Amino acid sequence: MAVAIVIGFTMISFIHSAAFGVMETVKIKAARYFSGHISLTGYVWEKSLIEDPETLISTLKNMDLPLRTIVPRTIYYKSDASLFFGGESIRQRRLVGIDFEAEKDELSGLSFIDGSLENMLINGENGILISKPAADMLGARVGDDITLFITLSSGQYNTKTLYVEGIFNETSLFGYVAYMRQADLNDLLLWEPYLATDIAIYAEDGENLEALSRKISMLLADDYRVLPTMLSKSELYEELSMVDWTKGSVLAPLTLNAHLDQLNDILDAFLIVTWFVLILFILIVMVGILNTYRVLVYERTKEIGTLRALGMSRMSVRLMFLYEALLLSIISSLAGFSLSLILVEVIKIIDISALPGAGLFTENGFLKPYLNLKMACVNMALMAGSVVLAAFEPANKAARIMPAEALRTGK
Amino acid sequence: MKHFCIFIILVILPVSFISAQSSDIEFLKEVDRMVTFNTTDIAAEYKIVKRDPGGANSTTVATMFRRDRANQFVILILEPVVDKGKGYLKIGDNLWLYDPIDRSFTFTSAKERFQNSSARNSDFNQSNLSNDYKVTGSQKAKLGVFNCTILELEALNDRVSFPKRKIWVSEDYLIRKIEDYSMSGQLMRTTAIPNYQTVGDRWLPVNMVILDHLRSKRINNKIEYERTTITISKPSLSELPDTLFSKEYLERVNR
């Protein structure tokens, strides 16, 4: 019985830690790929542009809000940005111009298979960070000069020769992106170096992004035309189509959850599966406890009869079994928690990059599960409740045993 | 002496500048005129062979019908078999691509690559250099057997595929070489047109070789570019029916 609880709790804790790890990994990757936890995109006549990002950033910094980093970004939103090298070419889903000095802490999680973030900080001018799939496709290595091709808003072609300063290990959908200096991308777009398309806002850990975004919109509303915080990109596009552009530019805040709208469906499905598995484990444990306690009560009939004959009340007999079940579940859960800690450490060193789609929720091919203490306590309470509930019927049966009848039985 | 200098600055220099500019425009107009069929329609078969650097060849054969006076053309793909029936229709500034499998027309851009070759859709347009570009520099040079004028051009509008170009024009006002540059001045494409054929009183290239400088590869210590060779044959000046320059025509030929 104890073994069943230990295994059940280990599996529940492990599945939860893996699910939390997956969600956290996806969110960290997404925050790098999109512009932080909350992005503020400027629009001037439907084109992405913030004309005075510096003032906007200082306004945001002066707000007394739990914001960790506020930096400008220039993002090339068209999907025709192409990298050329050695007769090969690859399209990039997104081209991001970054102020590396200002955003270095947030980008420090980017893992490199060649080159580094420091390369961009030291020799960043005309440098570019490309993903592993892009480097593999082009056959490019750090130090190679590649040609970046884009079309300007006017439709004219423009190109720039850039040096690969780093190849980051990102194979998921967040991998079809290249990072370069904001000034270089602005130069390619024939923009002034200070212009930006987005402000990337990184919030302190654990903040409610939707509430924070609403607060930012409210505080900016005095000086800027700010759209309400949307729940998805499609909502934003719909809202943008209704904007009266003659009244000037607008700012559109979007949280990470809104950016991940489509991906959230996958993550929600993943969570549903983990909850289903969890419920299944609990049911198995409950059936096991029920059967074991039935046998236990049968085995201890004579003992119960003796205790009852000595004056023990029905309630005391019932509580005796329930306390025993509770104690058993707590001790077994703690053992299961310890075992899951070991399992989490083991899974951290297993490379699962060969699995299809693993790149989306792994860092360098490794899962990053972590045990959430709050969730472990909830699980423990859930497990204890389930065990006590399963033991209730046998405990009740034990309480109803008549002492005389019990003492007559062979057990 | 002082008055003479002022006279030169105020009168002679602007006059010579304006006359140089107008002579450049006249020169470009003459270049355009040599390859524009304003009084007749023109039809020809284009064989487009693309060779990847160090890789395989792919061939496209298409028939082109052009009516320069109305700024229209129709290109019908004959080969390869998988693309047979695809067609391009240009009416004014609008360019459509017809897909016979979906039976649908989609808008496309003159700047797009033609059937994934180094040629752009705009390469099939009539020449309109005098309206699309201004001359920013010129010099004389010899290109093989041709005595050429090299003109450096800068786009006057956003419709053109390349914002900067350099053209080599021989003494007969025919373009012998083109270098296409991006906005930043990077060489993107080189086109050589060694031979022309006379069609009526106008000229049509016999063949063109286009090198895509973005798609190059070093093979055996030698840089090889994606190379597209266009051979133009069976030119005809026969009058074409008006119905040919329509969407219905492209749908009909695929039935």
Side-chain angles (χ1 to χ4, degrees):
Chain A
M1 189 165 58
V3 172
I5 298 173
V6 169
I7 293 172
F9 196 83
T10 305
M11 293 317 292
I12 290 166
S13 299
F14 174 71
I15 289 168
H16 258 135
S17 66
F20 276 117
V22 164
M23 301 254 281
E24 202 54 33
T25 305
V26 170
K27 282 190 176 167
I28 290 169
K29 288 182 179 204
R32 277 197 301 259
Y33 181 84
F34 300 110
S35 299
H37 297 120
I38 299 168
S39 65
L40 263 180
T41 310
Y43 292 92
V44 180
W45 290 98
E46 293 185 71
K47 283 182 182 162
S48 308
L49 180 67
I50 297 174
E51 289 166 311
D52 189 2
E54 210 173 307
T55 309
L56 179 56
I57 288 171
S58 65
T59 307
L60 287 164
K61 280 183 177 170
N62 288 334
M63 291 174 182
D64 190 21
L65 293 173
L67 307 176
R68 197 169 63 204
T69 310
I70 306 165
V71 282
R73 276 187 174 197
T74 297
I75 298 174
Y76 181 72
Y77 281 105
K78 289 186 197 171
S79 58
D80 64 352
S82 301
L83 301 172
F84 290 85
F85 180 74
E88 304 292 343
S89 67
I90 185 168
R91 278 199 178 198
Q92 296 292 282
R93 204 192 294 262
R94 183 175 272 242
L95 196 59
V96 184
I98 286 177
D99 179 346
F100 282 93
E101 192 55 49
E103 209 174 333
K104 63 182 175 193
D105 291 340
E106 304 297 343
L107 296 170
S108 58
L110 210 56
S111 67
F112 287 86
I113 52 167
D114 199 3
S116 65
L117 191 64
E118 283 66 41
N119 281 8
M120 280 305 281
L121 290 163
I122 299 163
N123 347 292
E125 199 171 343
N126 291 328
I128 189 166
L129 301 177
I130 60 172
S131 65
K132 188 176 178 292
D136 288 346
M137 175 72 93
L138 299 171
R141 289 176 298 183
V142 167
D144 285 335
D145 53 333
I146 62 174
T147 303
L148 172 62
F149 167 94
I150 62 160
T151 50
L152 304 174
S153 55
S154 60
Q156 302 281 25
Y157 299 145
N158 207 2
T159 54
K160 198 175 182 78
T161 302
L162 298 163
Y163 298 93
V164 179
E165 296 289 359
I167 297 167
F168 55 90
N169 196 3
E170 187 62 86
T171 55
S172 65
L173 76 100
F174 302 127
Y176 295 93
V177 61
Y179 299 102
M180 59 195 286
R181 274 194 342 138
Q182 191 191 11
D184 289 335
L185 183 53
N186 282 5
D187 178 47
L188 191 61
L189 291 165
L190 308 182
W191 286 8
E192 294 296 330
Y194 63 86
L195 292 174
T197 59
D198 292 68
I199 303 296
I201 301 169
Y202 293 89
E204 296 289 355
D205 290 339
E207 287 299 325
N208 180 329
L209 299 181
E210 277 67 31
L212 197 57
S213 177
R214 279 195 294 274
K215 216 170 203 175
I216 289 171
S217 302
M218 200 180 70
L219 292 169
L220 283 175
D222 291 340
D223 305 312
Y224 297 90
R225 224 171 129 209
V226 189
L227 296 181
T229 299
M230 303 293 164
L231 296 175
S232 68
K233 274 186 180 175
S234 50
E235 271 187 30
L236 172 66
Y237 297 144
E238 206 172 301
E239 187 73 20
L240 283 172
S241 68
M242 292 186 290
V243 168
D244 180 0
W245 296 106
T246 56
K247 289 181 181 170
S249 60
V250 295
L251 288 174
L254 214 55
T255 64
L256 200 55
N257 293 334
H259 278 296
L260 289 170
D261 181 38
Q262 286 161 328
L263 202 64
N264 274 341
D265 291 343
I266 302 169
L267 293 176
D268 286 347
F270 184 70
L271 270 186
I272 288 167
V273 169
T274 60
W275 277 109
F276 177 75
V277 172
L278 192 142
I279 289 165
L280 205 69
F281 269 118
I282 285 178
L283 282 175
I284 292 167
V285 168
M286 278 177 82
V287 170
I289 293 285
L290 181 72
N291 288 332
T292 313
Y293 262 82
R294 273 179 181 167
V295 174
L296 206 73
V297 168
Y298 178 70
E299 293 277 337
R300 290 164 68 180
T301 307
K302 206 167 191 173
E303 182 191 330
I304 295 163
T306 310
L307 290 170
R308 288 279 289 123
L310 288 171
M312 195 178 219
S313 68
R314 285 179 195 276
M315 182 55 82
S316 298
V317 172
R318 190 180 291 126
L319 286 176
M320 184 182 77
F321 278 97
L322 293 181
Y323 282 143
E324 195 182 298
L326 184 68
L327 196 69
L328 187 79
S329 74
I330 290 171
I331 292 169
S332 303
S333 295
L334 285 172
F337 184 73
S338 311
L339 210 63
S340 64
L341 280 173
I342 297 166
L343 204 61
V344 160
E345 290 307 312
V346 170
I347 203 76
K348 275 183 184 172
I349 55 168
I350 298 173
D351 187 353
I352 58 162
S353 55
L355 290 177
L360 181 64
F361 49 83
T362 58
E363 285 278 10
N364 297 329
F366 297 95
L367 265 182
K368 295 277 173 202
Y370 81 94
L371 281 163
N372 183 319
L373 208 62
K374 206 193 277 179
M375 190 47 77
C377 290
V378 170
N379 285 345
M380 205 176 278
L382 207 64
M383 183 58 86
S386 308
V387 168
V388 169
L389 193 70
F392 191 77
E393 196 262 342
N396 222 14
K397 206 175 169 186
R400 283 201 306 269
I401 288 173
M402 299 299 286
E405 279 176 29
L407 290 169
R408 272 204 299 274
T409 60
K411 293 281 176 187
Chain B
M1 185 62 191
K2 192 179 169 187
H3 290 284
F4 180 69
C5 289
I6 292 168
F7 174 77
I8 286 175
I9 291 164
L10 291 179
V11 179
I12 295 182
L13 284 179
V15 166
S16 59
F17 177 72
I18 291 164
S19 79
Q21 271 205 323
S22 70
S23 74
D24 287 338
I25 292 167
E26 287 308 314
F27 189 91
L28 285 179
K29 276 185 179 168
E30 193 56 26
V31 171
D32 288 336
R33 198 185 67 82
M34 295 300 281
V35 289
T36 303
F37 297 81
N38 267 330
T39 52
T40 57
D41 294 329
I42 173 86
E45 189 176 284
Y46 281 61
K47 186 178 180 188
I48 300 146
V49 181
K50 188 189 90 170
R51 186 181 187 279
D52 293 327
N57 288 355
S58 60
T59 304
T60 301
V61 178
T63 304
M64 196 260 321
F65 307 99
R66 217 170 80 194
R67 180 171 283 174
D68 290 349
R69 62 180 181 279
N71 195 12
Q72 296 173 335
F73 72 62
V74 164
I75 301 169
L76 195 61
I77 309 289
L78 307 173
E79 281 179 37
V81 180
V82 284
D83 290 328
K84 191 174 179 180
K86 269 189 185 173
Y88 292 81
L89 169 66
K90 182 175 186 285
I91 300 175
D93 287 335
N94 298 318
L95 181 63
W96 292 275
L97 171 64
Y98 178 68
D99 186 347
I101 297 167
D102 299 341
R103 294 182 183 176
S104 63
F105 285 88
T106 48
F107 264 110
T108 184
S109 162
K111 295 166 187 166
E112 291 288 317
R113 286 158 67 90
F114 179 80
Q115 294 295 106
N116 201 31
S117 69
S118 313
R120 299 291 192 275
N121 294 336
S122 58
D123 292 332
F124 298 89
N125 263 348
Q126 66 179 100
S127 178
N128 200 12
L129 292 170
S130 55
N131 285 322
D132 289 337
Y133 291 93
K134 66 175 181 190
V135 178
T136 56
S138 69
Q139 63 183 96
K140 300 278 182 194
K142 203 156 170 74
L143 180 72
V145 294
F146 301 109
N147 291 314
C148 290
T149 303
I150 305 172
L151 295 178
E152 286 167 33
L153 309 176
E154 221 171 272
L156 292 168
N157 59 57
D158 299 332
R159 292 188 306 272
V160 294
S161 292
F162 298 97
K164 289 173 186 170
R165 300 186 107 172
K166 208 186 247 188
I167 57 171
W168 278 252
V169 182
S170 55
E171 288 165 322
D172 47 10
Y173 293 102
L174 293 172
I175 296 175
R176 300 293 172 173
K177 183 183 168 188
I178 307 167
E179 283 182 353
D180 297 311
Y181 295 86
S182 70
M183 197 64 118
S184 63
Q186 181 165 6
L187 179 60
M188 295 181 72
R189 216 173 63 146
T190 301
T191 306
I193 314 170
N195 302 308
Y196 280 84
Q197 53 198 315
T198 50
V199 186
D201 59 349
R202 294 288 184 269
W203 299 83
L204 200 63
V206 174
N207 46 39
M208 302 160 74
V209 180
I210 305 170
L211 301 180
D212 192 328
H213 289 262
L214 289 184
R215 293 163 200 270
S216 60
K217 206 173 201 170
R218 187 175 286 277
I219 297 166
N220 298 330
N221 271 336
K222 201 177 148 198
I223 292 178
E224 274 193 31
Y225 299 100
E226 181 187 281
R227 170 196 285 257
T228 298
T229 309
I230 302 176
T231 310
I232 304 165
S233 59
K234 303 175 192 169
S236 162
L237 292 177
S238 304
E239 197 181 342
L240 301 167
D242 292 345
T243 52
L244 194 146
F245 300 98
S246 65
K247 289 182 176 180
E248 290 73 26
Y249 172 76
L250 285 173
E251 286 171 328
R252 202 169 59 239
V253 290
N254 278 291
R255 273 179 205 148

